[in-house]
Amino acid sequence: MIVDRIENAKFYFSLGKKIQEGLNYLQNTDLKSKQNGKYEISGEDIFVNIQDYNTKNLSEGKFEAHRRYIDIQYIITGEEKLGYTNIQNCKSLTKYDKENDIEFLKGEGSFIHATEGMFLIFTPEDAHMPSISASASTYVKKAIVKVSIE
């Protein structure tokens, strides 16, 4: 897992062309004006989901993991806590959904307090729990760049 501010994105370009393309998109797109939905960056290889929601209590959270995509989660507005742990520290709650590339898990982890302008990179080994309230429920708008590992 990687946590940083978007202005430092260039330090992670060496992770690969797809990661660089995803981070460049986040840096050079007016994300605040984007409506919720899926936007292709490079077909199904790299795309972004824009979503907004109110954060939830920790008791409502679940870890999730992906097998085909790396997540670059970027906070456009608001703040939230995101849990993370290695998937080996978790037990499956649901069968892996290949079509949606997601599995829900139960486990223990640590939390990062993410604020506007921060991004987090989660690889397939990183179980993560997004959308958790930092203190009270707040509005968050987020971009999630999905980067194919294939």
Short mmCIF file of all heavy atoms in Angstrom, two decimals, residues 6 24 58 102 127 146:
data_model
loop_
_atom_site.label_atom_id
_atom_site.label_comp_id
_atom_site.label_asym_id
_atom_site.label_seq_id
_atom_site.Cartn_x
_atom_site.Cartn_y
_atom_site.Cartn_z
N ILE A 6 -1.39 13.97 -4.03
CA ILE A 6 -1.37 13.91 -5.49
C ILE A 6 -0.23 14.74 -6.09
O ILE A 6 0.30 14.38 -7.13
CB ILE A 6 -2.74 14.30 -6.09
CG1 ILE A 6 -2.86 13.83 -7.55
CG2 ILE A 6 -3.01 15.79 -5.95
CD1 ILE A 6 -2.82 12.33 -7.73
N ASN A 24 -1.56 10.45 -13.67
CA ASN A 24 -1.64 11.63 -14.53
C ASN A 24 -3.10 12.06 -14.73
O ASN A 24 -3.42 13.24 -14.71
CB ASN A 24 -0.98 11.38 -15.89
CG ASN A 24 0.50 11.60 -15.87
OD1 ASN A 24 1.02 12.40 -15.09
ND2 ASN A 24 1.21 10.89 -16.72
N LEU A 58 -17.39 2.28 11.74
CA LEU A 58 -16.47 1.15 11.60
C LEU A 58 -17.22 -0.18 11.66
O LEU A 58 -16.91 -1.12 10.93
CB LEU A 58 -15.39 1.22 12.68
CG LEU A 58 -14.40 0.07 12.72
CD1 LEU A 58 -13.65 -0.05 11.41
CD2 LEU A 58 -13.43 0.26 13.88
N ILE A 102 -14.17 -8.66 -6.90
CA ILE A 102 -14.21 -8.27 -5.49
C ILE A 102 -14.50 -9.48 -4.60
O ILE A 102 -15.25 -10.39 -4.99
CB ILE A 102 -15.24 -7.15 -5.23
CG1 ILE A 102 -15.01 -6.50 -3.88
CG2 ILE A 102 -16.66 -7.63 -5.42
CD1 ILE A 102 -15.65 -5.15 -3.71
N ALA A 127 -5.80 -6.00 1.42
CA ALA A 127 -7.22 -5.89 1.76
C ALA A 127 -7.43 -4.48 2.29
O ALA A 127 -6.59 -3.95 3.01
CB ALA A 127 -7.59 -6.94 2.80
N LYS A 146 -8.93 2.15 -11.53
CA LYS A 146 -8.71 0.70 -11.57
C LYS A 146 -7.65 0.44 -12.64
O LYS A 146 -7.83 0.81 -13.80
CB LYS A 146 -10.00 -0.04 -11.90
CG LYS A 146 -11.18 0.29 -10.98
CD LYS A 146 -10.96 -0.18 -9.58
CE LYS A 146 -11.40 -1.59 -9.41
NZ LYS A 146 -11.33 -2.07 -8.01
#
